[in-house]
Amino acid sequence: MARTPTVLIVDDDPAIRKMLVEVLTLEGYPTETAANGQEALDLLSRSPARVVLLDLMMPVVDGWGVLASLEAEPPARAKHRIILISAWGTLEKASNLVVEGKVSKPFTVDQLMNVLQPVASDLP
């Protein structure tokens, strides 16, 4: 049986982080959180492969900055699966980004899981 990957939740809204931790824990996913892109990059630099739920609009380093940093190091980018979670208008602006999934805020648990499950199952 495949190992369930850790999901890194990167969002500056503490209520969203808390809700996602609760939902994903109930679904059997180990979780970690980061309040901004810099925290996420620090975690990703010293961690095994994982799925990243990445908000685009954050202070310090935004989601675009996280993706740019990962793209600058192809081995680092290759080991992580990125799912953008952001408002629809922001996701439209990010249509050129190469990611494994996108979920528009606000979203339901079913919408999130429909995107997350196939991406997580693809992680080595």
Side-chain angles (χ1 to χ4, degrees):
M1 182 172 187
R3 167 184 80 80
T4 303
T6 297
V7 177
L8 174 59
I9 301 159
V10 188
D11 198 301
D12 60 320
D13 185 328
I16 290 175
R17 288 194 312 270
K18 182 178 188 287
M19 180 271 300
L20 287 170
V21 166
E22 290 172 1
V23 165
L24 294 175
T25 299
L26 287 172
E27 293 288 337
Y29 290 91
T31 61
E32 292 181 326
T33 63
N36 61 61
Q38 187 58 57
E39 287 181 18
L41 289 169
D42 292 344
L43 283 167
L44 293 172
S45 70
R46 59 182 190 271
S47 67
R50 64 179 25 115
V51 176
V52 181
L53 298 180
L54 180 64
D55 188 17
L56 287 170
M57 303 298 291
M58 296 179 291
V60 184
V61 174
D62 61 19
W64 280 281
V66 170
L67 285 168
S69 292
L70 290 174
E71 293 292 339
E73 297 186 36
R77 176 59 181 98
K79 74 178 188 174
H80 304 294
R81 303 296 182 265
I82 309 295
I83 297 173
L84 299 179
I85 54 168
S86 204
W88 176 248
T90 305
L91 287 179
E92 284 183 320
K93 294 175 189 171
S95 62
N96 63 324
L97 298 177
V98 178
V99 295
E100 287 71 33
K102 296 177 183 176
V103 179
S104 180
K105 289 180 182 175
F107 52 84
T108 67
V109 172
D110 286 343
Q111 289 169 326
L112 175 64
M113 296 313 295
N114 286 339
V115 175
L116 176 60
Q117 287 170 335
V119 170
S121 68
D122 182 49
L123 199 60

